[in-house]
Amino acid sequence: QVQLVESGGGLVQAGGSLRLSCAASRSIFSAAVMGWYRQAPKKQRDLVAIITTDGTPNYADSVKGRFTISRDNAKNTVYLQMNSLEAEDTAVYFCNARRWSVGSYDDYWGQGTQVTVAS
């Protein structure tokens, strides 16, 4: 059974920082592209950042230069360091694991963690 457990959300003032963590099942982590998505009220879920199995990151334009995604393969954990937070970053943040096979993939999601940035 695949499990993704997020932690680290909370309330922070604009300009502040938070670090999100996502602990994944060992069975999925090493073979999966790991990512963070977010969903604000009444909006769709959007990609924030992903990191490949070899550690290559990719970011949404809105967070480039402010957020950093990383993964610790020994701990089966992916992190999202968020700096210079803005009110627009307020959302529920979801951890994602995407495992590819030939021609298709499987997505796994965490339960989400709330990030609220007070302006």
Side-chain angles (χ1 to χ4, degrees):
Q1 182 178 359
V2 175
Q3 285 190 317
L4 302 173
V5 180
E6 300 110 332
S7 60
L11 173 65
V12 65
Q13 294 292 318
S17 298
L18 282 174
R19 188 176 84 153
L20 306 183
S21 301
C22 172
S25 303
R26 184 183 304 176
S27 62
I28 184 72
F29 189 82
S30 63
V33 174
M34 301 299 298
W36 289 95
Y37 291 71
R38 66 186 181 188
Q39 188 167 18
K42 300 181 181 180
K43 293 191 176 180
Q44 66 182 21
R45 188 174 297 186
D46 290 327
L47 172 70
V48 176
I50 60 169
I51 186 165
T52 63
T53 54
D54 66 358
T56 301
N58 212 329
Y59 300 94
D61 287 343
S62 59
V63 306
K64 281 181 181 176
R66 300 188 299 123
F67 291 10
T68 302
I69 189 170
S70 61
R71 63 191 293 161
D72 185 332
N73 293 332
K75 296 182 178 179
N76 298 320
T77 300
V78 62
Y79 303 97
L80 185 68
Q81 177 67 44
M82 304 185 293
N83 298 328
S84 302
L85 282 161
E86 305 167 352
E88 292 74 21
D89 296 317
T90 295
V92 178
Y93 284 68
F94 295 90
C95 179
N96 169 265
R98 176 166 290 182
R99 183 167 56 190
W100 288 87
S101 56
V102 178
S104 67
Y105 58 84
D106 294 312
D107 271 337
Y108 303 89
W109 295 94
Q111 80 285 357
T113 185
Q114 177 70 47
V115 171
T116 302
V117 183
S119 57

